[in-house]
Amino acid sequence: MVVTLFIALPSIVIKDTKETLDVIHFFDHFEKNILATQQAAITSNKKTKMIQKDNTQQYYFYTDTIEKLDLPKDLRASRSKTLYFNSGSGNNSSLQNIHFYWDKNEQQITYRFLFARGHYEKNITSIK
């Protein structure tokens, strides 16, 4: 029993750590892709967009290339529409919020786009 405990405990801890790192990695890439999509709209003077597919598990960022980002299994997302970033300015004219729910940590992560600035605010709240 002692040997089993020494073998099983680290694998449980490693699994939890990996799942947490997957979520952190997703948000890092999500934010970088939003910034790259906005910057592409400014520099190329062409409208760019981010699309959340119907199943809410995949995000596509359309610039000169297409970047795909998969939602980790520990996160849920609210359904959002396509976000367009205006050519020349990179502003997002829809002003919608994007919500993610991290049930394990009892958190809601919200990205709120600001009017006529092209930036967003990230807000993390408890959902207890």
Side-chain angles (χ1 to χ4, degrees), residues 3-96:
V3 172
T4 304
L5 181 65
F6 281 120
I7 292 172
L9 189 59
S11 65
I12 293 169
V13 171
I14 289 172
K15 181 181 179 213
D16 286 344
T17 302
K18 182 191 177 309
E19 290 170 353
T20 300
L21 288 174
D22 286 345
V23 171
I24 292 169
H25 184 259
F26 169 81
F27 284 123
D28 182 53
H29 277 82
F30 183 79
E31 292 170 11
K32 287 180 181 177
N33 282 336
I34 287 176
L35 179 62
T37 304
Q38 288 176 323
Q39 289 176 344
I42 295 168
T43 57
S44 70
N45 208 25
K46 295 178 184 174
K47 186 182 272 191
T48 59
K49 62 186 172 181
M50 180 205 81
I51 295 177
Q52 177 190 35
K53 291 297 183 180
D54 290 335
N55 63 7
T56 70
Q57 299 299 310
Q58 297 172 330
Y59 294 85
Y60 290 89
F61 298 86
Y62 292 85
T63 56
D64 291 337
T65 62
I66 300 172
E67 294 290 326
K68 177 185 169 200
L69 188 59
D70 292 319
L71 192 69
K73 68 177 184 165
D74 284 355
L75 283 180
R76 293 180 296 118
S78 64
R79 180 72 181 119
S80 64
K81 300 175 184 174
T82 301
L83 295 177
Y84 290 99
F85 299 97
N86 296 331
S87 61
S89 69
N91 290 341
N92 176 299
S93 58
S94 69
L95 300 178
Q96 67 178 310

Side-chain angles (χ1 to χ4, degrees), residues 107-120:
Q107 292 178 332
Q108 175 181 330
I109 299 93
T110 302
Y111 291 87
R112 183 174 66 94
F113 287 88
L114 305 175
F115 180 71
R117 295 186 57 202
H119 299 291
Y120 61 84

